[in-house]
């Protein structure tokens, strides 16, 4: 079975160009499978994957798979690239610049309404991993999404999953999408700065940004969707988010390569399910910790519940995503989305 996503214009390209996700994301802007020798030997099937923020914990399986050597073990030469936001990673896929994207599954639904056949081939998560935070200054005025009216709310970029989920929380709580102002501030340092300077009253972001905000006492958690329970409470069901999605035509023409990719990712998900946050953090690039290993480890621990251990699409997950998008997205409202074409379980079943 399969499902689809979304494709949006970027109104804040200037800001995002200046605000790369974090310094460590820049450092890892392009990284290839290294194997035991530490450098790619150029051998194996070459695959480029764009990640919507390599150092975001929600996309941790991408880099961790490389660090564990599982790409190499499958005979793949994988180059991981990074963009500050998932919607930009999606754009790279649609433009044919990469063969795969590690980003939110919900993009596949929106893209289907635009005539683009894209599908998730392995599902990393069963919850968004996102957190709506409010600045310490605005915490008295924003006690629930019902208070979003008139507020400036940070998102990674327009048309991103953070944009989608913010709109849903607003609409679900009686606030029109025209009643608040979404502000594209990226993630990491740029998000935190916007929160501290008052450029935004609150916003949606992920770990390790959330952990840093709480550590700095720059804001408070309003809605926590890092666990299946949090997803159920906020969205009414499981919300499959981070995944590897690819263009359907490419998948059908390169099934052997796709199977190897999925094999590698499923191995990683299983490894994660049997190792602690400390052990996972130890495998990641040192600069991802931003000089505070304990805080980085805590951010992984807080987000671990969102991940699947087998790469399988959670039951009723696609239906929850469609319901969320239909609440505010006119493209989805006016389309007959075929959810069976937005994901496939073919490869994860073979990997098991």
């Amino acid at each position: 079975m399969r499902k689809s996503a979304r494709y949006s214009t970027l109104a804040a390209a200037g800001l995002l160009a200046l605000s790369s996700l974090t310094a460590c994301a820049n450092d890892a802007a392009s990284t290839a499978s290294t194997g035991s020798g530490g450098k790619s030997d150029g051998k194996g099937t070459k695959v480029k994957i764009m990640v919507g923020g390599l150092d975001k914990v929600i996309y941790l399986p991408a880099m961790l798979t490389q660090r564990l050597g599982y790409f190499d073990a499958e005979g793949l030469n994988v180059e991981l690239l990074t963009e500050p936001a998932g919607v930009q990673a999606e754009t790279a896929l649609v433009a044919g610049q990469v063969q795969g994207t590690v980003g939110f599954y919900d993009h596949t639904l929106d893209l289907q309404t635009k005539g683009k056949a894209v599908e998730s081939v392995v599902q990393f998560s069963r919850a968004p991993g996102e957190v709506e935070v409010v600045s310490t200054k605005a915490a008295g005025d924003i006690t629930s999404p019902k208070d979003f009216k008139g507020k400036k709310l940070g998102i990674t970029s327009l048309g991103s999953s953070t944009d989608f989920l913010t709109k849903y929380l607003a609409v679900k709580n009686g606030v029109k999408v025209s009643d608040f102002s979404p502000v594209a501030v990226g993630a990491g340092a740029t998000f935190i700065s916007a929160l501290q300077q008052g450029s935004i009253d609150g916003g949606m972001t992920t770990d390790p940004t959330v952990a840093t905000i709480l550590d700095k006492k720059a804001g408070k958690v309003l809605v926590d969707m890092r666990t299946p329970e949090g997803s159920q409470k906020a969205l009414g069901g499981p919300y499959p988010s981070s995944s590897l999605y690819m263009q359907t035509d490419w998948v059908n023409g390169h099934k052997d390569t796709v199977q190897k990719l999925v094999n590698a990712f499923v191995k990683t998900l299983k490894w994660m399910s049997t190792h602690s946050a400390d052990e996972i953090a130890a495998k990641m690039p040192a600069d991802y910790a931003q000089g505070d290993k304990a805080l980085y480890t805590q951010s992984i621990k807080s987000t671990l519940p969102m991940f699947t251990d087998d790469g399988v699409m959670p039951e009723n997950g696609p239906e929850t995503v469609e319901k969320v998008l239909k609440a505010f997205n006119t493209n989805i409202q006016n389309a007959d989305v075929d959810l069976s074409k937005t994901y496939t379980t073919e490869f994860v079943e073979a990997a098991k």
Side-chain angles (χ1 to χ4, degrees):
M1 292 187 286
R2 310 173 184 241
K3 325 242 149 153
S4 14
R6 62 180 171 258
Y7 185 52
S8 310
T9 56
L10 299 173
L15 174 59
L16 288 174
L18 293 172
S19 65
S20 61
L21 180 61
T22 61
C24 55
N26 282 335
D27 292 342
S30 178
T31 176
S33 302
T34 57
S36 59
K39 292 184 179 179
S40 174
D41 58 9
K43 295 180 181 179
T45 304
K46 182 67 181 289
V47 181
K48 288 185 179 181
I49 296 176
M50 184 67 77
V51 184
L54 261 175
D55 64 344
K56 291 180 182 178
V57 178
I58 57 171
Y59 299 141
L60 180 149
M63 178 57 73
L64 182 58
T65 301
Q66 188 179 91
R67 302 284 286 191
L68 290 172
Y70 291 160
F71 289 137
D72 290 326
E74 292 290 332
L76 298 171
N77 178 16
V78 174
E79 183 178 6
L80 296 175
L81 305 165
T82 190
E83 284 283 4
V87 68
Q88 293 168 302
E90 167 204 296
T91 301
L93 177 70
V94 173
Q97 298 170 355
V98 296
Q99 287 74 53
T101 292
V102 169
F104 268 42
Y105 158 74
D106 54 15
H107 288 280
T108 63
L109 277 71
D110 189 63
L111 282 173
Q112 190 181 115
T113 69
K114 296 174 172 64
K116 304 294 184 182
V118 175
E119 63 190 16
S120 165
V121 298
V122 56
Q123 195 62 46
F124 299 162
S125 64
R126 52 193 174 177
E130 301 281 356
V131 177
E132 183 72 23
V133 298
V134 294
S135 71
T136 302
K137 182 178 180 181
D141 297 326
I142 307 175
T143 59
S144 84
K146 294 180 180 179
D147 302 320
F148 281 176
K149 187 173 182 179
K151 300 300 188 290
K152 296 174 291 184
L153 302 176
I155 56 176
T156 51
S157 67
L158 300 178
S160 66
S161 295
T162 54
D163 187 16
F164 289 173
L165 289 171
T166 300
K167 287 176 178 175
Y168 177 74
L169 291 179
V171 171
K172 180 187 177 185
N173 287 276
V175 179
K176 298 178 181 178
V177 294
S178 58
D179 287 341
F180 68 92
S181 301
V183 184
V185 292
T190 54
F191 185 101
I192 296 169
S193 177
L195 198 68
Q196 292 176 318
Q197 294 175 9
S199 301
I200 56 175
D201 302 299
M204 191 169 291
T205 190
T206 61
D207 276 313
T209 306
V210 176
T212 303
I213 289 170
L214 298 179
D215 184 62
K216 291 178 176 290
K217 295 180 171 52
K220 299 180 178 180
V221 172
L222 185 69
V223 180
D224 193 338
M225 296 178 285
R226 289 176 290 188
T227 66
E229 294 77 16
S231 178
Q232 179 70 42
K233 182 178 180 181
L235 306 174
Y239 196 92
S241 56
S242 54
S243 65
L244 172 66
Y245 62 83
M246 313 177 88
Q247 297 203 56
T248 301
D249 284 347
W250 198 91
V251 172
N252 291 338
H254 302 80
K255 288 197 172 187
D256 182 60
T257 299
V258 176
Q259 187 64 64
K260 291 177 179 179
L261 285 166
V262 173
N263 290 346
F265 280 125
V266 169
K267 287 180 187 176
T268 297
L269 292 169
K270 289 186 182 299
W271 188 92
M272 289 170 61
S273 72
T274 59
H275 289 76
S276 68
D278 285 286
E279 292 170 317
I280 294 170
K283 290 290 185 181
M284 301 301 287
D287 58 355
Y288 280 24
Q290 297 273 296
D292 193 331
K293 187 175 181 180
L295 191 63
Y296 180 61
T297 299
Q298 179 57 48
S299 73
I300 292 176
K301 184 177 181 180
S302 298
T303 306
L304 271 180
M306 72 174 277
F307 293 107
T308 69
D309 61 3
D310 56 10
V312 175
M313 176 66 73
E315 186 176 359
N316 299 322
E319 289 77 10
T320 302
V321 172
E322 183 179 33
K323 179 200 72 173
V324 167
L325 296 182
K326 275 189 172 181
F328 62 87
N329 187 317
T330 56
N331 289 333
I332 301 293
Q333 291 169 355
N334 299 325
D336 184 16
V337 177
D338 186 346
L339 293 179
S340 70
K341 293 182 179 178
T342 61
Y343 72 96
T344 176
T345 61
E346 172 185 351
F347 302 100
V348 291
E349 288 173 356
K352 288 192 294 183

